[in-house]
Amino acid sequence: MTTTADVRPYGTATGRLVQPAGDSSLGALDPAWVTGLLADAGFLLFRGFRTDLEEFTSFVKAHSSRITLDPARSFHGGEVAQKVDAGTGAVGLHLENGNSPFGPDLTWFLCEKAAASGSQTTVCDGYRVWDAAGDTARAVFGIKDIMYSRRVEEPKWKAFVCHQTEGRKKLDDITFADMKELLGGSVTTTLRLDDDGSVHYAFRTGAAHATLFGSRLAWANSIFGPSYNYEAPRITFSDGTEIPDDLLAEFRRLTTEITEELDWRDGDVALIDNTRVMHGRREILDTDRTVYNAQSYLDPALLAAVRDGRTGR
């Protein structure tokens, strides 16, 4: 593998554009090098590489210990890529699965065919948002957790459990006990099974929190995010009190100012740190487009290599 690539700034902050400087296979890039680059940049856009579904799948797997999913989407081309199909309207900033206890480390996109206009993916660096926030906002969100609570229909939560457990049980054999087992005794989430087979969960987390690669706080969450395939969650502070409108307005303004766009070209691949950088989408003006999404957990060996490199060990 090689680290030979042309890397340059993308956007106005730390994001990076990566282009081939020789071998145009994504598989030629050293995963440890890619991970280190992501740790600094927050998001990467790979352009000019060979990026069919097979290459994309291999690239995702090379960096991941486990693939996860959105149970409301269907897979395309294997067990990694899911088609992005959340209507045509704009999509608010969010972390992938950030309103649940199962948020992945990494979010991936493959643009097979770019729209002629509109549908840019938006990215917003939570480090920058937190650094720009006022003293009152930082004092409140630095101490108080938020809570997402919602109902999830039986077919969706069972499909999720089936995939997370790698199909060890048939879908019809999945039980509520299997769902609880996935949480592993988590103290941040409560689950309830309702009479219609749906589950209701309440998930507590920080709106501002440490990230995959360090202790620096990022305001990175799904407070402004979509619920296209699901019942919209109720979002409050963890004690059940409402988040004040003035604080929400401040962060809407900040995220609007800091948001950047991935202006897709055919064959582009994006990799986003899902613990630091929120993403969304502009309105789709041209529906003749094909974008795939994948979600995964970073290979612990790659994370350790980045951390060791930063401490000089």
Side-chain angles (χ1 to χ4, degrees):
M1 291 185 177
T2 181
T3 58
T4 302
D6 178 20
V7 180
R8 60 187 66 186
Y10 186 92
T12 59
T14 58
R16 292 291 180 264
L17 175 67
V18 183
Q19 296 174 294
D23 193 331
S24 62
S25 169
L26 285 171
L29 298 176
D30 180 3
W33 176 81
V34 171
T35 305
L37 195 61
L38 178 68
D40 292 330
F43 71 90
L44 304 173
L45 183 64
F46 298 88
R47 176 167 288 163
F49 291 89
R50 296 197 306 272
T51 54
D52 58 22
L53 275 172
E54 184 177 354
E55 281 265 344
F56 178 67
T57 296
S58 296
F59 194 50
V60 172
K61 287 184 174 180
H63 296 79
S64 306
S65 61
R66 183 160 53 89
I67 309 299
T68 184
L69 83 164
D70 180 340
R73 297 175 182 167
S74 58
F75 280 105
H76 291 259
E79 293 276 315
V80 170
Q82 295 186 287
K83 197 169 184 179
V84 176
D85 55 2
T88 59
V91 173
L93 292 168
H94 61 285
L95 301 178
E96 203 72 9
N97 277 345
N99 53 22
S100 85
F102 302 108
D105 298 332
L106 306 175
T107 299
W108 309 76
F109 291 97
L110 163 63
C111 179
E112 187 175 77
K113 184 175 183 181
S117 60
S119 78
Q120 299 93 337
T121 292
T122 53
V123 287
C124 184
D125 190 341
Y127 284 164
R128 298 176 66 200
V129 177
W130 186 245
D131 290 348
D135 291 343
T136 299
R138 289 166 63 93
V140 172
F141 284 111
I143 297 173
K144 301 188 74 171
D145 283 348
I146 60 172
M147 184 166 63
Y148 305 94
S149 54
R150 69 149 41 125
R151 169 183 167 275
V152 180
E153 298 93 333
E154 184 177 17
K156 292 176 182 177
W157 70 258
K158 285 191 171 182
F160 179 79
V161 172
C162 186
H163 185 269
Q164 291 293 96
T165 55
E166 299 178 327
R168 288 194 293 270
K169 280 188 174 182
K170 294 180 180 179
L171 190 61
D172 290 344
D173 295 332
I174 298 293
T175 67
F176 183 58
D178 298 316
M179 181 68 178
K180 290 194 293 185
E181 187 176 346
L182 282 183
L183 291 172
S186 170
V187 298
T188 63
T189 306
T190 60
L191 277 179
R192 182 186 76 224
L193 180 65
D194 290 337
D195 291 341
D196 63 358
S198 65
V199 297
H200 181 276
Y201 71 81
F203 167 55
R204 187 181 80 247
T205 187
H209 50 79
T211 69
L212 178 64
F213 294 107
S215 59
R216 180 180 173 185
L217 293 184
W219 199 84
N221 52 68
S222 294
I223 288 176
F224 301 140
S227 297
Y228 182 73
N229 290 310
Y230 300 91
E231 176 184 291
R234 183 166 183 257
I235 307 172
T236 63
F237 286 124
S238 59
D239 60 5
T241 58
E242 300 295 328
I243 302 172
D245 289 341
D246 60 333
L247 290 183
L248 293 176
E250 177 177 351
F251 281 100
R252 283 192 186 278
R253 175 181 59 80
L254 289 175
T255 54
T256 297
E257 292 173 355
I258 291 169
T259 291
E260 303 176 89
E261 294 181 345
L262 301 181
D263 201 0
W264 293 114
R265 297 183 188 176
D266 292 356
D268 282 354
V269 166
L271 170 56
I272 299 173
D273 176 353
N274 194 57
T275 67
R276 166 183 165 185
V277 175
M278 297 170 285
H279 68 278
R281 189 190 66 206
R282 302 298 189 201
E283 181 183 3
I284 295 177
L285 303 176
D286 171 20
T287 57
D288 187 16
R289 63 186 280 279
T290 305
V291 178
Y292 298 99
N293 166 254
Q295 307 171 38
S296 72
Y297 296 92
L298 180 64
D299 184 333
L302 295 176
L303 179 58
V306 170
R307 289 176 173 171
D308 288 350
R310 287 184 166 187
T311 58
R313 291 197 297 272

